[in-house]
Amino acid sequence: MSYLIISFSHKNIDIKMREKLAFNSDEDKDRFIKQLIENEATKEVVLLSTCNRVEIITRSSNVKQSARNIIEKLASYSGLDFELLYDRADIYDNDGAVHHLFSVASALDSLVIGETQIVGQLKDAFRFSQAKGYCGSNITRVMHYAFKCAAQVRNATSLGTGSVSVASTAVAKAKDIIGNTKGIKALVIGAGEMSELTVKHLISSGFDVTIISRDTKKAQNLATTFEVHVNVEPYNELSNLLEKIPVMITATSAPYPIITKDNAPNSSINRYWFDIAVPRDIDEDISMPNLEIYSVDDLQDIVNENMSLRAEQAKTAYGIVSRMSLEFFEWLKSLEIEPIVKNLYVKGNDIIDKKIKKAIKKGFINSSDEENIRKLCQTVITEYLHQPSKQLKDISKNMECDLVVGTVQNMFGFNNDSNIATKYKCDHLAKN
């Protein structure tokens, strides 16, 4: 069995393809994962879908078969050509998959290096699969280490500070364009997590913020969470607001454009619209005088500046990812050894019980001496197995571990019980 990840992101596909691959509802995710686990080679699945990536994280008994099946299902879901997706896909297996997952969790593979949203999105994706029963101990173990790695990167570097999200990058771009932002109005469409982050950055940059959402009550609740006044307008005012407000950032989860040629008004003022949603909220065919539209892929100049400033920190972070990847596999191997060592002692104690009972029955020893004889025998077993146990634990750090584990299991007739589903639960499952 190997870890397998099929990855599509801003690195290998453009925004049009990402829009088609995006999973916009839990129902879509649930339906898709069910299709994947119908394949006999694919055992566990977590599906991560964000504005910049789709990651299929699995365990597979046949990497080639699983990878092909996953991409076939993605092609069917998205309507994209299979060969195109297969050529573009980044396919990682086992150690490569673990290193990639840890890099994603640590925000080193993000459009904006160090952005803080990705680990929360990964936890949400993991919780979803956990709740549905789509992943067991193997995925739980690697997720446990991925979140642990992300925490170490945050603690050891400053990558999580400053302008580190698509939302903050959009606001930084708007501020760069406008210059003096004091009193400049900005419109935020949506009332979800990304919109909340956008409003925070707009306020800190001096903008006068208005929120609009189909769910007006949710928008009002969001507005009350800020220390400064944030205006809320009804959704039917969208066209009027788009005409009058110079800066607009939209981040809804709508599966189709909410701003089209029909509701996008002309205006005499210079306007700057930022679409940080995937699928995009703004119809790509809109073109008007005095209007500039930016999608997530158009923020690359700030992203590049961000990367150069963070290059040294990223080097440290990648060192942590590499070390944690090695530690993870060492830990996995140690899990294979623990049951074997335990079974050696259990088997020894079973033999002691059997032989003592037989000796008492035949009159070789008195029953009154049973406890002392048992303690003596257990001392012999403990001393006898001490060195083999120590060597087995040392072997868990070597490449020969799998071969030795299989040999010892066969030699002593032990069952492979390394997949203990409940023993190693993810510490981060219930955390935010």
Side-chain angles (χ1 to χ4, degrees):
M1 292 290 290
S2 297
Y3 288 104
L4 168 68
I5 295 180
I6 308 298
S7 175
F8 292 97
S9 71
H10 62 281
K11 291 186 172 182
N12 56 11
I13 58 174
D14 60 25
I15 192 169
K16 289 185 178 180
M17 293 178 70
R18 297 204 302 276
E19 286 175 330
K20 293 179 179 179
L21 286 172
F23 290 82
N24 299 305
S25 70
D26 287 347
E27 290 75 17
D28 287 342
K29 293 177 187 176
D30 189 37
R31 206 161 28 242
F32 187 78
I33 294 175
K34 281 179 179 175
Q35 291 178 1
L36 296 187
I37 59 179
E38 286 175 358
N39 185 286
E40 61 180 14
T42 307
K43 305 302 181 184
E44 303 176 52
V45 177
V46 170
L47 192 165
L48 173 66
S49 178
T50 75
C51 61
N52 279 320
R53 66 179 60 254
V54 170
E55 306 276 346
I56 312 294
I57 304 157
T58 74
R59 283 278 289 180
S60 175
S61 59
N62 186 321
V63 167
K64 187 174 181 180
Q65 180 182 327
S66 287
R68 190 169 187 86
N69 177 67
I70 290 167
I71 296 172
E72 283 175 353
K73 294 293 189 294
L74 282 171
S76 176
Y77 169 79
S78 63
L80 295 168
D81 179 68
F82 167 79
E83 294 297 338
L84 174 63
L85 284 178
Y86 195 84
D87 288 342
R88 295 287 187 89
D90 286 329
I91 302 173
Y92 304 93
D93 73 298
N94 228 35
D95 55 344
V98 170
H99 190 278
H100 175 70
L101 177 61
F102 289 7
S103 298
V104 169
S106 302
L108 295 175
D109 197 63
S110 298
L111 177 67
V112 183
I113 300 295
E115 56 103 348
T116 54
Q117 284 71 50
I118 187 64
V119 70
Q121 293 165 332
L122 187 59
K123 286 180 181 179
D124 288 342
F126 176 46
R127 288 188 188 104
F128 180 83
S129 283
Q130 276 273 333
K132 295 286 186 177
Y134 296 144
C135 62
S137 61
N138 293 298
I139 292 292
T140 297
R141 290 167 179 171
V142 76
M143 286 295 182
H144 166 92
Y145 249 80
F147 301 139
K148 186 178 176 182
C149 180
Q152 287 206 16
V153 168
R154 284 197 305 272
N155 292 333
T157 70
S158 59
L159 288 175
T161 61
S163 179
V164 291
S165 69
V166 174
S168 63
T169 302
V171 174
K173 182 69 174 179
K175 187 177 180 180
D176 184 55
I177 293 169
I178 298 294
N180 184 5
T181 60
K182 187 176 181 180
I184 299 294
K185 292 184 180 297
L187 175 66
V188 174
I189 305 177
E193 183 181 348
M194 190 65 79
S195 296
E196 178 182 1
L197 191 62
T198 301
V199 174
K200 285 180 181 177
H201 287 294
L202 285 168
I203 290 171
S204 67
S205 296
F207 286 94
D208 181 5
V209 182
T210 295
I211 302 176
I212 190 171
S213 170
R214 291 186 189 276
D215 190 335
T216 303
K217 185 175 181 181
K218 188 175 180 181
Q220 289 171 340
N221 289 338
L222 175 59
T224 62
T225 63
F226 302 103
E227 294 181 1
V228 302
H229 175 72
V230 174
N231 189 38
V232 177
E233 294 287 346
Y235 195 76
N236 57 18
E237 287 294 313
L238 177 61
S239 290
N240 291 332
L241 294 169
L242 289 174
E243 180 184 355
K244 299 174 183 176
I245 295 179
V247 174
M248 184 276 289
I249 301 178
T250 180
T252 78
S253 58
Y256 48 80
I258 59 172
I259 301 173
T260 64
K261 288 183 176 180
D262 295 331
N263 65 358
N266 283 295
S267 178
S268 59
I269 67 170
N270 291 327
R271 293 175 297 169
Y272 308 94
W273 292 354
F274 296 86
D275 188 350
I276 59 175
V278 176
R280 282 172 288 185
D281 284 338
I282 303 174
D283 193 322
E284 63 180 309
D285 294 328
I286 293 177
S287 178
M288 297 180 187
N290 307 321
L291 173 65
E292 293 183 31
I293 300 174
Y294 301 88
S295 70
V296 290
D297 287 359
D298 297 320
L299 303 173
Q300 196 64 49
D301 54 344
I302 292 181
V303 170
N304 290 340
E305 181 183 350
N306 175 282
M307 288 179 69
S308 63
L309 290 172
R310 296 170 185 274
E312 204 59 38
Q313 293 289 307
K315 190 185 299 182
T316 300
Y318 272 116
I320 294 171
V321 167
S322 296
R323 175 173 53 79
M324 291 290 288
S325 298
L326 290 173
E327 283 184 11
F328 171 70
F329 281 106
E330 287 180 1
W331 179 65
L332 275 191
K333 289 175 181 178
S334 73
L335 297 187
E336 298 287 341
I337 295 297
E338 286 180 15
I340 293 177
V341 172
K342 180 182 176 181
N343 281 335
L344 286 172
Y345 283 93
V346 169
K347 198 173 187 71
N349 285 326
D350 286 344
I351 293 171
I352 289 171
D353 283 342
K354 183 179 177 182
K355 294 300 181 181
I356 287 177
K357 286 177 182 177
K358 189 174 181 180
I360 291 173
K361 185 177 180 180
K362 292 192 173 184
F364 295 155
I365 62 174
N366 296 322
S367 58
S368 59
D369 296 326
E370 178 180 351
E371 191 61 31
N372 288 332
I373 293 173
R374 184 184 302 279
K375 288 180 181 178
L376 175 62
C377 291
Q378 287 174 337
T379 301
V380 172
I381 288 292
T382 299
E383 186 169 338
Y384 180 70
L385 292 179
H386 172 73
Q387 189 61 26
S389 299
K390 184 176 181 298
Q391 285 187 307
L392 280 172
K393 290 176 181 178
D394 290 340
I395 286 170
S396 70
K397 300 176 183 179
N398 300 330
M399 294 296 292
E400 301 86 3
C401 178
D402 292 340
L403 178 62
V404 173
V405 166
T407 301
V408 174
Q409 284 174 334
N410 290 332
M411 187 182 301
F412 288 93
F414 297 155
N415 292 323
N416 184 351
D417 58 354
S418 61
N419 293 328
I420 308 169
T422 59
K423 187 174 181 181
Y424 299 98
K425 293 181 179 178
C426 180
D427 294 343
H428 304 267
L429 182 57
K431 298 179 182 179
N432 292 326

